[in-house]
Amino acid sequence: MKTMQTLMAGVATAAIALPAVAAEKWDMPMAYAATNFHSENGAEFAQCVTDGTGGEIEITTHPGGALFAGADIKRAIQTGQVQIGERLLSGHQNENAIFGFDSIPFLSPSFDDHAKLWDAAKPKIEEVLDEQNLVYLYSVPWPPQGFYFKKEVNATADMEGVKFRSYNNATSRLAELTGMLPVTIEAAELSQAFATGVAEAMISSGATGYDQKVWESLTHFYTVDAWLPRNYVMVNKEVWDGVPDDMKAVIIGCAEEAESRGLQASKDYTQTTLDGLTENGMTVGPASDALMEELRAVGETMTAEWLEAAGDDGKAIVDAYKGN
Ligand code: PCA
């Protein structure tokens, strides 16, 4: 009896301690460093949703791959282990070639070109994600991609045998076609990979090199402007379907703001981080004409390969983009 009373008292206390409306808590894994502009933008988005729903949906971001590594984030959301998260869209190229539309060398090398390419690709990407139990919320491009090395490189002959960090199928293929050895490494592991010699080069933005202080191991950054890959934020579909309409509107509003704020941050961060690389002793500048010529030929091969792999859907995206 005594035990039962104690138990009942415990239940009563627990009930009283609960708030009037139980707030939903969403965890949002993100793969990149907390100080990266995508992560900062995501944190502002999370705060916007928490504030806008009066705390009824409280989003907590987990940057730096702390909750799930980049490669595991999509699956964690699809299977409902977490409600929401951010991932590099082209990281899914191994599941479906269509996700690689934004990593085709020299197809859309500037922010303006990239915006047109994204307009052409967005409906298809949303559809594919929907079929995978995911709702697309917003996305933001990384700054243009260039090459990092620990020596001067003037031709693909200088790349022979270099251990090249890749972040999706396209970057692995690019390594193969230029005689390098691809090794897949998450951005969060980069400083260590370069310090220990597991990788000696990569293609990425000035932003990622800056975030990861790659000047501690590498010396050159060549601004080849190969492409601008996107990060996107997705929600588990069942979770989304359970959100009341007024709160969905709040989340969509916060997502729209995050998309334009993130785009501006990406543009601003482009020059700032290139300056940062220079200030920290790296040689930053365009690649030689000879190297660019070789890279363009590699780009043509990769464009043809992607069109082949992505089939009619891929062709429709490229045609719509070129018609813009
Ligand atoms: N940074 C990410 C992807 C593209 C970029 O600029 C990375 O290197 O993982």
Side-chain angles (χ1 to χ4, degrees), residues 233-286:
V233 171
M234 69 204 112
V235 188
N236 173 283
K237 200 151 113 184
E238 278 104 44
V239 169
W240 181 252
D241 289 345
V243 173
D245 284 347
D246 56 338
M247 290 194 205
K248 275 187 183 144
V250 169
I251 297 173
I252 290 167
C254 292
E256 281 167 1
E257 279 177 29
E259 184 152 313
S260 54
R261 185 176 57 230
L263 176 62
Q264 192 55 50
S266 188
K267 289 179 178 175
D268 295 346
Y269 216 45
T270 303
Q271 195 54 49
T272 315
T273 54
L274 293 184
D275 292 346
L277 296 177
T278 308
E279 279 155 24
N280 284 286
M282 292 190 76
T283 305
V284 176

Side-chain angles (χ1 to χ4, degrees), residues 32 36-38 87-88 90 142-145 165-167 185-188 190 202-209 227-231:
Y32 296 94
N36 176 262
F37 73 93
H38 287 290
R87 171 67 174 143
L88 180 73
S90 60
W142 285 92
Q145 305 290 288
R165 174 264 176 165
S166 67
Y167 61 70
I185 296 163
E186 295 279 350
L190 272 180
M202 67 171 173
I203 187 165
S204 193
S205 53
T208 290
W227 63 76
L228 293 79
R230 289 182 92 83
N231 269 13

Side-chain angles (χ1 to χ4, degrees), residues 19-27 46-60 83 239 242-248 250-251:
V21 178
E24 262 197 61
K25 291 190 188 297
W26 290 8
D27 285 308
Q47 192 62 50
C48 175
V49 172
T50 304
D51 292 346
T53 62
E56 292 202 31
I57 298 177
E58 187 184 328
I59 304 183
T60 307
Q83 298 78 7
V239 169
V243 173
D245 284 347
D246 56 338
M247 290 194 205
K248 275 187 183 144
V250 169
I251 297 173

Side-chain angles (χ1 to χ4, degrees), residues 93 96-105 107 117 121 125 170 299-319:
Q93 204 180 348
N96 184 336
I98 207 77
F99 287 119
F101 78 92
D102 68 8
S103 302
I104 300 170
L107 178 66
L117 179 64
I125 296 295
E300 275 169 32
T301 304
M302 288 180 63
T303 307
E305 287 177 352
W306 184 79
L307 282 169
E308 171 93 35
D312 291 347
D313 290 335
K315 187 174 181 311
I317 290 173
V318 172
D319 287 349

